[in-house]
Amino acid sequence: MAVLTVGTSKQLRGQVTVPGDKSISHRAVMLAALAEGSSRIENFLFSDDCLQTAACMRKLGINVEWEDGVVWVEGRGLDGLSEPEDILDAGNSGTTIRLLSGILAGQNFTSVLTGDASLRRRPMGRITKPLKLMGADIMGRQSGNLAPLAIAGGNLKPIAYQTEVASAQVKSAVLLAGLFCDGWTEVVEPAKSRDHTEIMLQAFGVPIDVDGLKVRVKGGHAPSPCSLVVPGDLSSAAFLMVAGCIVPDSRIEIHNVGLNPTRSGIIDILTSMGAKITVTNRRESMGEPVGDLIVESSELSGVAIGGELVVRAIDEIPVAAAAACLAEGVTVIRDAEELKVKESNRIAAIAGELRKLGAEIEELPDGLRITGGKALAGAVVDSRGDHRIALALAVIGLAAEGQTRIMGAECLAVSYPGFPQTLAQLGGVVIASE
Ligand code: S3P
């Protein structure tokens, strides 16, 4: 088991970049595989999750190669995938299994998808339900709610589907299946989830229509090959942002970060807590907003977080909770039930582990109540196999008294393999990364 040990840090200073966006990297390989011809992907995230997607596409007969950090995908068109000889393994990645299920629902062959113990506990009914409505034959444990999933696809018909939760993975699974239908497939969400699939479909030249919470895609159009540059991952930058706020005397510049408004809730949350965050050099890359961030040490205050802000910061709630432990006053997080079905139950995980450092934090049915400003002391904590929990604990460890040992730190490789090195580069006290 890997252990990451961090210690009280005096300051964090410097300029860094963060690795490529995880959500966008997955989508880039999948859409490139369905394009007719060769696509080039720069700044792809070489982390466990995205490599799992690349491995699945290879098992489906697609040539995916990389050289000098650039990924090349030899797309074979909408009918170009071939039946895999073996089970497709999505590892820890919800995005891999759910988006790929949408693509596999459109294939005239049978495939079996599975993942690690965490992924096999996560709800799949939310994607198997609409994909079955479109005509796919899907079997899985608990009537198709749990992986492994066996998908016999083909002959799909378009649907208009109202999702029960705001989930980009559900929306994307239906839209990708829609590529294999005649006519328009429609998805309406209760709140707007990340829209990288929509933006990328447009970049690949697929007819797509967005009207508020309603998205429609026209089937039968193979994506045209593309050259893409993946922006830095705001979800990874979030850990450095909180670190920069809570470690005294800090000033960090984080360059080339994706700033898609469906993802930027953490900037709004931290700013409302009093964080000194400046966005500079705003630009656009293939429809995705990008910019640089400057973060400085800040006096934080407690806030109320709920509603659509939670959707726009869904992966950042654990690190926002860590920040709240060092804020003056009370922070209440509501409407965050979805956190219970992520890589771990993130409400229970972050509350339980932050308490070990001395934080005052109460679990609510749909969130957390945190009383900030308590003295925090380093402790032995457990990632619970969840990368975002490990990263949030490493960040708070920088501001706690003494050493914090994060057990099960190998899961950092899921989204941010180089995190300990970047922390050390900024002057953070990284005692050991074993
Ligand atoms: C993702 C969507 C979100 C997010 C996950 C990545 C994506 O999940 O939590 O880390 O790439 O589409 P949900 O769609 O389940 O909210």
Side-chain angles (χ1 to χ4, degrees):
M1 190 204 296
V3 182
L4 172 64
T5 309
V6 300
T8 322
S9 300
K10 289 207 176 67
Q11 60 168 211
L12 298 174
R13 292 203 163 237
Q15 302 183 352
V16 289
T17 53
V18 283
D21 188 279
K22 182 155 79 69
S23 292
I24 296 177
S25 295
H26 285 296
R27 287 159 170 80
V29 171
M30 290 187 199
L31 281 184
L34 302 177
E36 273 166 1
S38 180
S39 289
R40 177 181 195 276
I41 309 165
E42 240 180 88
N43 203 34
F44 178 81
L45 172 63
F46 290 97
S47 75
D48 286 357
D49 262 23
C50 299
L51 292 174
Q52 218 69 257
T53 290
C56 288
M57 294 325 295
R58 282 181 175 150
K59 282 192 177 172
L60 289 160
I62 299 296
N63 200 9
V64 184
E65 304 288 342
W66 44 87
E67 205 181 310
D68 300 330
V70 175
V71 175
W72 292 91
V73 181
E74 250 353 284
R76 294 166 54 102
L78 287 179
D79 300 323
L81 302 182
S82 44
E83 186 170 75
E85 286 176 10
D86 203 347
I87 294 170
L88 301 170
D89 185 0
N92 191 241
S93 173
T95 305
T96 306
I97 196 166
R98 294 200 178 109
L99 270 60
L100 200 50
S101 293
I103 293 173
L104 295 174
Q107 308 305 314
N108 285 315
F109 56 71
T110 298
S111 22
V112 181
L113 278 153
T114 192
D116 68 8
S118 150
L119 195 60
R120 282 183 272 115
R121 282 192 292 268
R122 297 179 63 187
M124 296 299 145
R126 52 180 64 191
I127 53 138
T128 57
K129 185 177 164 195
L131 296 176
K132 284 179 190 172
L133 285 174
M134 294 175 88
D137 210 349
I138 307 181
M139 298 260 288
R141 292 180 300 135
Q142 287 187 6
S143 312
N145 190 41
L146 294 177
L149 300 175
I151 304 180
N155 291 321
L156 297 189
K157 56 178 189 308
I159 54 169
Y161 192 67
Q162 168 85 54
T163 65
E164 280 155 35
V165 284
S167 159
Q169 293 178 353
V170 176
K171 173 175 62 179
S172 303
V174 178
L175 292 176
L176 290 171
L179 296 178
F180 303 93
C181 298
D182 276 338
W184 292 89
T185 294
E186 181 180 301
V187 185
V188 181
E189 305 188 85
K192 197 166 175 72
S193 66
R194 64 191 65 192
D195 61 359
H196 304 303
T197 302
E198 296 90 303
I199 290 173
M200 201 178 290
L201 281 168
Q202 198 142 26
F204 274 90
V206 175
I208 173 128
D209 195 40
V210 180
D211 178 12
L213 298 174
K214 189 202 288 181
V215 185
R216 298 191 318 149
V217 70
K218 191 164 184 204
H221 292 263
S224 312
C226 233
S227 179
L228 292 165
V229 184
V230 179
D233 198 324
L234 179 57
S235 294
S236 296
F239 298 102
L240 300 178
M241 287 161 67
V242 171
C245 288
I246 64 177
V247 172
D249 199 23
S250 296
R251 186 182 187 281
I252 306 177
E253 285 187 26
I254 315 168
H255 292 173
N256 191 35
V257 183
L259 294 171
N260 185 311
T262 62
R263 295 280 299 281
S264 59
I266 186 65
I267 301 181
D268 300 340
I269 291 171
L270 291 173
T271 305
S272 70
M273 294 174 87
K276 293 184 201 154
I277 299 173
T278 317
V279 181
T280 61
N281 201 10
R282 280 187 187 270
R283 55 203 185 272
E284 204 173 272
S285 171
M286 306 287 301
E288 291 283 352
V290 180
D292 301 337
L293 300 170
I294 302 170
V295 186
E296 293 171 86
S297 313
S298 314
E299 298 285 318
L300 301 180
S301 315
V303 284
I305 301 167
E308 59 95 42
L309 191 51
V310 172
V311 180
R312 294 176 50 241
I314 191 69
D315 292 338
E316 288 65 69
I317 299 298
V319 79
C325 295
L326 289 150
E328 212 38 59
V330 175
T331 294
V332 180
I333 301 169
R334 307 302 307 240
D335 306 319
E337 307 82 343
E338 272 294 297
L339 291 189
K340 295 182 182 169
V341 291
K342 295 293 180 189
E343 286 84 328
S344 67
N345 174 342
R346 287 185 173 159
I347 293 182
I350 199 67
E353 298 307 318
L354 287 173
R355 258 185 231 126
K356 293 180 183 167
L357 296 160
E360 190 177 329
I361 176 162
E362 182 194 335
E363 285 174 50
L364 305 175
D366 62 344
L368 295 161
R369 185 175 197 281
I370 302 153
T371 305
K374 307 283 163 195
L376 300 181
V380 177
V381 290
D382 182 1
S383 72
R384 305 196 186 192
D386 184 331
H387 55 127
R388 304 220 190 267
I389 300 297
L391 289 156
L393 294 168
V395 166
I396 193 132
L398 303 173
E401 197 52 47
Q403 292 186 9
T404 297
R405 277 168 69 75
I406 299 126
M407 314 304 281
E410 62 279 355
C411 59
L412 295 183
V414 162
S415 66
Y416 202 163
F419 182 72
Q421 290 75 15
T422 301
L423 258 194
Q425 180 193 337
L426 290 167
V429 176
V430 178
I431 294 153
S433 178
E434 316 137 40

